[in-house]
Amino acid sequence: MTDETRTLDPRPLDPPRSPLASLAQHLTDLDPSAHLRGAGTGQDEGPVLTGITLATSRVRPGDLYAALPGARAHGADFAAQALEAGAVAVLTDTDGAERLASAGQEVPTLVVASPRALLGRASAYVYGEPARRLRMIGVTGTQGKTTTTRLLEGGMAAAGLVTAVVGTVGTRIAGIDVATALTTPEAPDLHGLFAVMVEQGVQVCAMEVSSHALVLGRVDGVVFDVAGFLNLGRDHLDFHPSVEDYFQAKASLFTPERARRAVVNADDEHGRRLAAETTLPVVTFSTGAVDPTDPADPAEFVDGPRGDWRVSDVRTAPSRSDVVVHPPTGEPFAAGVPLAGAYNVSNLLAAVAVAAEAGLDAAAVAAGIAGLAGVPGRLESVPGAPGFEVVVDYAHKPDAVEAAVAALRPLATGRVLVVLGAGGDRDTGKRPVMGEIAARLADVLVVTDDNPRSEDPATIRAAVLAGAEQVPAQTRAEVLEVGDRREAIATALRMARPGDIVLVAGKGHETGQMIGDVVHPFDDRVVAAELLEEIAAG
């Protein structure tokens, strides 16, 4: 049976069995407010737990149901559904416990002052602390997390390790995909996945760590062997009140409570700040070119900051980049990445450096990365274009749009055409910024819809167009507005000439478009391929 046809349950097949009383004692050691209430809690051990979940829809027999307070409702109000599905106990706060009592629900209840703050530690305990039996690598940054972790996972697997990866594209365990809804799953789901990894013999797990995950405690209960920092730009300002708050959220990964070692991008100003401020042992990386005229001192840079890990002999092509990597000690070695662009060279160097800091053979991992096919939705080529290139990329924030266009510009003998929208119900301030960047760097900009969600799509497009108008007319791209995304892609493809590159930006690997509260099937890669076939057929 191939990896493509196999499936994995997101929960361990043979989970540990944790007495509720033992969990209560463990949490009491962390928070003296923790105590047991309700039926069955007078027994020596109480009920035995085999899992934990936040969602009533995912409750399994033997679960601890985490009934957390929310902005609109309290999880305790749904406890009856959880108990009916087989939950044997509830974790909640004082308010939740009172709601259970008022509803006449006699259930063993573990009460703590702030259940969200202890959820990660509780989840780790219920599943037998599985992360401690894995080599854990966490990667954070505004852009590049998916690329770096997927390169890591593929390179480590090619080097002979049993690997796992968790992130935006989903979770893969020992080569088998497991669907997950969030970049970083909620703590109960995450520790359940770690337990599955242990069952499957995984040795190393590479995972994306978002600022949301850090703030909301989704990675609580995990101490990463190595944490990598890629960069920080404008993003998530619908969640963070400021860029400084966003930085502090990322920086919290680089503390002894969450990681043992740090690998940091010295080319990024926030990375340099982080390297100076963290108390963890830290190494840095930089893509500033090593001076090839001075082989006796390969640490000398032509320009840019000095990094512990460096590159030379950078060679780029439309579908890949090749370099020589200079480690802090030892001989340089060849490396490559199946993606174009300077930022993907940086992602490659980050992957190799964190692998080394995790105690792996960096050259072997680099060789594995060089042989990979690519990363879903990251500068992914769509075949079938007659004389021009079509590339789909996840770029949906200002820095990412700028990096993607900059990567493709030198590879085009003709023009660069960009199809771009912006997501609804997200940071509104980045929309005109993205429009300005695309109109300044591209030759043709087709403004369209991304995932409008609950917002008026025309209003979102107007903000992107307003940014484009900020570019002086003599240097501005030809700007078109085509709301329907399929028609927008078709417009760009019909305009393309030999030597051009068409970049369809914003959705990358996504297979749906959210309009209102409905997700409609839509994959930029599939749509572009279908349209190219139509064009070829005349």
Side-chain angles (χ1 to χ4, degrees):
M1 184 175 290
T2 66
D3 288 347
E4 287 74 19
T5 58
R6 292 176 63 194
T7 59
L8 277 180
D9 195 296
R11 300 267 201 111
L13 297 176
D14 185 19
R17 284 149 179 81
S18 305
L20 178 62
S22 298
L23 173 62
Q25 182 58 57
H26 176 65
L27 296 187
T28 301
D29 293 340
L30 301 172
D31 180 357
S33 76
H35 61 282
L36 286 171
R37 288 190 195 177
T41 56
Q43 302 172 27
D44 290 342
E45 295 290 342
V48 173
L49 310 173
T50 54
I52 178 171
T53 185
L54 279 167
T56 57
S57 60
R58 294 200 293 273
V59 169
R60 298 186 184 183
D63 271 359
L64 172 67
Y65 170 57
L68 274 55
R72 299 180 180 177
H74 198 295
D77 295 334
F78 306 95
Q81 297 167 240
L83 298 173
E84 185 176 349
V88 295
V90 175
L91 169 68
T92 192
D93 59 3
T94 302
D95 181 29
E98 292 173 354
R99 290 171 185 249
L100 294 175
S102 297
Q105 291 165 336
E106 289 292 324
V107 56
T109 304
L110 180 50
V111 185
V112 297
S114 178
R116 167 67 75 175
L118 292 180
L119 183 61
R121 302 292 291 272
S123 301
Y125 189 87
V126 167
Y127 285 115
E129 307 286 352
R132 295 183 182 179
R133 288 179 275 172
L134 303 165
R135 199 171 305 191
M136 296 294 306
I137 298 172
V139 177
T140 196
T142 300
Q143 58 175 319
K145 295 188 297 296
T146 297
T147 298
T148 302
T149 53
R150 286 277 164 161
L151 293 177
L152 255 176
E153 183 250 358
M156 293 187 300
L161 296 164
V162 184
T163 62
V165 62
V166 181
T168 305
V169 179
T171 296
R172 188 158 58 208
I173 298 174
I176 307 169
D177 288 326
V178 182
T180 49
L182 301 169
T183 297
T184 311
E186 290 282 6
D189 301 323
L190 185 61
H191 288 277
L193 289 168
F194 291 154
V196 175
M197 293 176 197
V198 171
E199 281 190 338
Q200 295 295 315
V202 167
Q203 297 163 286
V204 190
C205 173
M207 66 175 289
E208 300 179 44
V209 184
S210 66
S211 62
H212 287 67
L214 292 161
V215 172
L216 298 176
R218 292 176 189 160
V219 290
D220 287 358
V222 183
V223 179
F224 292 93
D225 294 286
V226 183
F229 180 89
L230 304 178
N231 48 63
L232 189 136
R234 182 188 177 113
D235 197 22
H236 301 306
L237 296 189
D238 52 329
F239 180 79
H240 298 283
S242 65
V243 173
E244 175 63 20
D245 184 80
Y246 181 33
F247 170 77
Q248 292 298 338
K250 296 282 192 187
S252 71
L253 176 61
F254 299 85
T255 59
E257 295 76 23
R258 295 196 184 277
R260 297 184 176 91
R261 303 187 66 82
V263 174
V264 176
N265 183 3
D267 293 331
D268 183 85
E269 62 176 316
H270 294 94
R272 294 191 293 274
R273 175 184 170 187
L274 179 63
E277 293 179 357
T278 182
T279 61
L280 299 179
V282 61
V283 298
T284 60
F285 63 93
S286 169
T287 58
V290 172
D291 187 350
T293 66
D294 190 4
D297 186 7
E300 285 297 320
F301 275 71
V302 175
D303 55 21
R306 181 185 298 269
D308 298 309
W309 287 81
R310 303 168 298 275
V311 297
S312 68
D313 303 315
V314 179
R315 302 173 301 283
T316 61
S319 60
R320 70 177 293 109
S321 304
D322 291 284
V323 301
V324 173
V325 171
H326 296 255
T329 59
E331 293 298 314
F333 52 86
V337 60
L339 295 163
Y343 68 102
N344 282 314
V345 172
S346 183
N347 291 334
L348 164 65
L349 192 55
V352 173
V354 297
E357 285 300 299
L360 307 178
D361 184 335
V365 172
I369 291 173
L372 298 178
V375 178
R378 272 61 181 175
L379 291 184
E380 184 173 350
S381 295
V382 179
F388 57 89
E389 297 281 338
V390 181
V391 176
V392 170
D393 193 79
Y394 191 50
H396 62 287
K397 58 196 76 168
D399 288 354
V401 172
E402 184 160 10
V405 180
L408 297 174
R409 170 61 69 186
L411 305 177
T413 58
R415 303 168 301 163
V416 175
L417 299 83
V418 176
V419 179
L420 178 71
D425 301 333
R426 298 294 186 268
D427 176 14
T428 59
K430 71 181 182 182
R431 297 169 186 174
V433 180
M434 291 166 59
E436 187 276 334
I437 290 169
R440 172 166 46 86
L441 298 180
D443 298 291
V444 177
L445 170 60
V446 183
V447 176
T448 188
D449 295 341
D450 190 289
N451 293 314
R453 300 184 177 89
S454 70
E455 289 194 64
D456 173 28
T459 300
I460 300 173
R461 295 196 303 271
V464 178
L465 290 164
E469 289 294 323
Q470 296 174 15
V471 181
Q474 61 269 28
T475 58
R476 185 193 310 145
E478 179 183 353
V479 180
L480 306 173
E481 180 182 8
V482 182
D484 181 87
R485 191 170 182 89
R486 184 183 184 92
E487 184 56 33
I489 297 171
T491 297
L493 296 181
R494 287 193 293 264
M495 294 179 70
R497 303 190 294 256
D500 289 350
I501 295 180
V502 177
L503 169 64
V504 183
K507 293 176 60 59
H509 64 282
E510 293 179 355
T511 57
Q513 183 180 29
M514 181 171 283
I515 302 173
D517 57 0
V518 178
V519 177
H520 302 267
F522 199 101
D523 186 321
D524 285 348
R525 300 162 296 183
V526 172
V527 170
E530 292 173 349
L531 291 169
L532 287 171
E533 287 185 5
E534 293 175 11
I535 290 171

